[in-house]
Amino acid sequence: MKKMVEEKLIDILKKRNQELLVLLETSRILTEKLNLEELLTEIMHQATKLVKAESSSLMLIDEEKNELLFNIAIGDKGNKVKQMRLKIGEGIAGWVAKEGKAIIVDDVSKDSRFDSAIDDITKYKTKSILCVPLKIKDRIIGVMEAINKKKKDTFSKPDLDMFSDFAAQAVVAIDNAKLFGNLEQEKEKIEAMFAGMGDGAVFTDSNFKILMFNRAACNLLNLEKDEMTGRNFRGLKADYDFIDLDKIKDDKIKSMLFDINRREGKKLFVSCRLTRIINNDDRTMGYMMVLRDVTNDKTELMMTRDFFSLISHKLKTPLVAITGYTPMLLKEEEFGKLNKFQKSAIKSIDEQGKHLRELIEKLLTFTSLGVEAHNLNIEKTGLNDLVQLSIKGLDDMMSEKNAEIRCDGSVLNNPT
């Protein structure tokens, strides 16, 4: 008797061990599938074999309509079952989805929850059902059914346990496949957006390694696709002048605009709008760069400034003679006495000459601001300093006009 019990226990352990090996192999197969349609089909094939059923089906919940949708059905009548719908609570599958409990129904003809509508459509005779919920944490996303045990047997408690274990593995695989599918869709949207952009677009990681780019960026930088793929954006410094990207990384600036200029060959000026991509912890995940060809604008601006500079310098030569000789002409003791009209005319020439000189100096200052080598030291300053500096700049003009500037004390006392 004792030997018989031991042999029976050994048989049970062997069987359970074999079931666990099957579950492990099944889990390995499922984790290799990331396409949702392929995964669901594989889950049903494995489920049917696992509990030796004639057929099986998998229904996922359509949350918008609160219905169960037969995504996958395996067996001779599987194609007819696909895309059929059940209300939550309707039929045995609907009851499992509503209650979140696994059940075995040995004889569906004696269960009031059974709905024969599907059998009527498929002309398939359902005798027994093993049904378990597909649950992620506390959320039910669908149900899985095994229909009719082969060899006219009925589903057992071990079948239910093994089917439930398998469902737990399957639901994780389904969730991963959905997430992967969503990521793929988002990637396709981003790639489509990138491809459709007229401006160049480059996406890099936090160390400026290029992860994604569009054709416009390749054309703009005169690089082939394989030359862009996987390279570091810093490497472009071999052919282009632009700011030190490590300073951007250290400054933690969220967005900025800088120029990229080609060193040799045909002139190319590119305006780059850089935007830092951060996560919820304010940690840098990467950078988005939008590139625009501004060569024509830059060239036109440079030509305009060069023209103004040339004209200004050309005007200064005759102006030196005018402003140099007019004071001498006003000295009556050296050149004879001037009548009233002569004196007035020479004074007018002198005044207008000085005014023209001021205008030329301002024009030269303006043109010099466009030169790249011209560096501006930007500093914070108080309102008092700014007002006093402005007043001082008007001293000469105020003296000539015999005018006076008075500043309200409340302004001068303002510390900011």
Side-chain angles (χ1 to χ4, degrees), residues 103-149:
I103 59 169
I104 297 174
V105 179
D106 292 329
D107 187 350
V108 297
S109 64
K110 297 179 181 180
D111 195 304
S112 60
R113 294 168 295 189
F114 178 67
D115 187 347
S116 62
I118 296 175
D119 279 9
D120 295 338
I121 295 171
T122 61
K123 307 303 180 184
Y124 181 81
K125 180 64 176 177
T126 300
K127 300 173 185 176
S128 59
I129 290 178
L130 171 59
C131 188
V132 298
L134 296 172
K135 187 183 295 186
I136 299 177
K137 296 182 179 179
D138 295 327
R139 182 170 63 93
I140 295 174
I141 66 166
V143 298
M144 191 167 64
E145 285 183 327
I147 302 169
N148 296 350
K149 184 82 170 180

Side-chain angles (χ1 to χ4, degrees), residues 348-381:
S348 179
I349 292 172
D350 186 49
E351 289 175 359
Q352 294 304 316
K354 290 178 180 178
H355 180 59
L356 182 57
R357 184 178 61 191
E358 290 177 2
L359 290 177
I360 291 174
E361 292 296 336
K362 289 179 180 178
L363 189 58
L364 286 173
T365 301
F366 169 74
T367 56
S368 70
L369 292 176
V371 180
E372 291 184 11
H374 188 94
N375 295 318
L376 296 177
N377 294 323
I378 301 175
E379 298 178 356
K380 289 184 178 181
T381 185

Side-chain angles (χ1 to χ4, degrees), residues 205-409:
D205 65 12
S206 58
N207 290 316
F208 298 103
K209 180 182 177 181
I210 297 174
L211 303 177
M212 193 181 297
F213 54 88
N214 64 357
R215 171 51 59 183
C218 291
N219 294 338
L220 191 58
L221 299 174
N222 195 29
L223 294 170
E224 295 299 325
K225 184 177 179 181
D226 58 349
E227 292 178 293
M228 287 280 281
T229 304
R231 79 179 296 173
N232 196 292
F233 199 86
R234 294 186 186 93
L236 295 177
K237 273 192 168 291
D239 301 308
Y240 295 88
D241 287 320
F242 52 90
I243 62 174
D244 186 352
L245 294 178
D246 287 325
K247 289 185 178 179
I248 297 175
K249 189 175 180 180
D250 295 338
D251 290 344
K252 297 292 184 181
I253 192 167
K254 290 186 178 180
S255 179
M256 73 172 299
L257 189 68
F258 63 90
D259 291 335
I260 300 175
N261 305 326
R262 185 153 50 201
R263 284 200 179 102
E264 298 178 356
K266 187 178 179 181
K267 283 185 179 179
L268 176 65
F269 298 98
V270 177
S271 175
C272 178
R273 167 66 67 179
L274 178 143
T275 303
R276 184 187 300 272
I277 310 299
I278 58 176
N279 61 11
N280 294 332
D281 298 326
D282 200 33
R283 200 178 83 187
T284 301
M285 303 299 294
Y287 299 92
M288 177 70 182
M289 300 184 194
V290 178
L291 311 175
R292 177 171 296 178
D293 188 348
V294 293
T295 303
N296 291 337
D297 295 339
K298 283 275 189 180
T299 302
E300 184 178 342
L301 180 60
M302 289 171 65
M303 288 176 63
T304 301
R305 293 185 183 279
D306 289 345
F307 172 76
F308 281 138
S309 180
L310 178 64
I311 292 299
S312 300
H313 282 94
K314 291 296 183 183
L315 286 174
K316 285 187 78 175
T317 301
L319 188 59
V320 168
I322 294 172
T323 56
Y325 282 114
T326 48
M328 295 173 61
L329 292 175
L330 290 173
K331 294 181 179 180
E332 298 182 10
E333 63 276 7
E334 294 183 15
F335 300 99
K337 190 171 182 179
L338 302 173
N339 62 39
K340 187 176 180 181
F341 173 76
Q342 290 172 333
K343 187 178 291 187
S344 175
I346 294 173
K347 280 185 176 181
S348 179
I349 292 172
D350 186 49
E351 289 175 359
Q352 294 304 316
K354 290 178 180 178
H355 180 59
L356 182 57
R357 184 178 61 191
E358 290 177 2
L359 290 177
I360 291 174
E361 292 296 336
K362 289 179 180 178
L363 189 58
L364 286 173
T365 301
F366 169 74
T367 56
S368 70
L369 292 176
V371 180
E372 291 184 11
H374 188 94
N375 295 318
L376 296 177
N377 294 323
I378 301 175
E379 298 178 356
K380 289 184 178 181
T381 185
L383 181 59
N384 292 346
D385 295 335
L386 188 61
V387 170
Q388 294 297 341
L389 187 62
S390 300
I391 293 174
K392 187 175 181 180
L394 297 172
D395 281 349
D396 292 340
M397 187 171 63
M398 292 297 101
S399 297
E400 290 179 9
K401 302 295 183 180
N402 196 24
E404 182 182 355
I405 296 178
R406 292 181 181 178
C407 188
D408 188 274

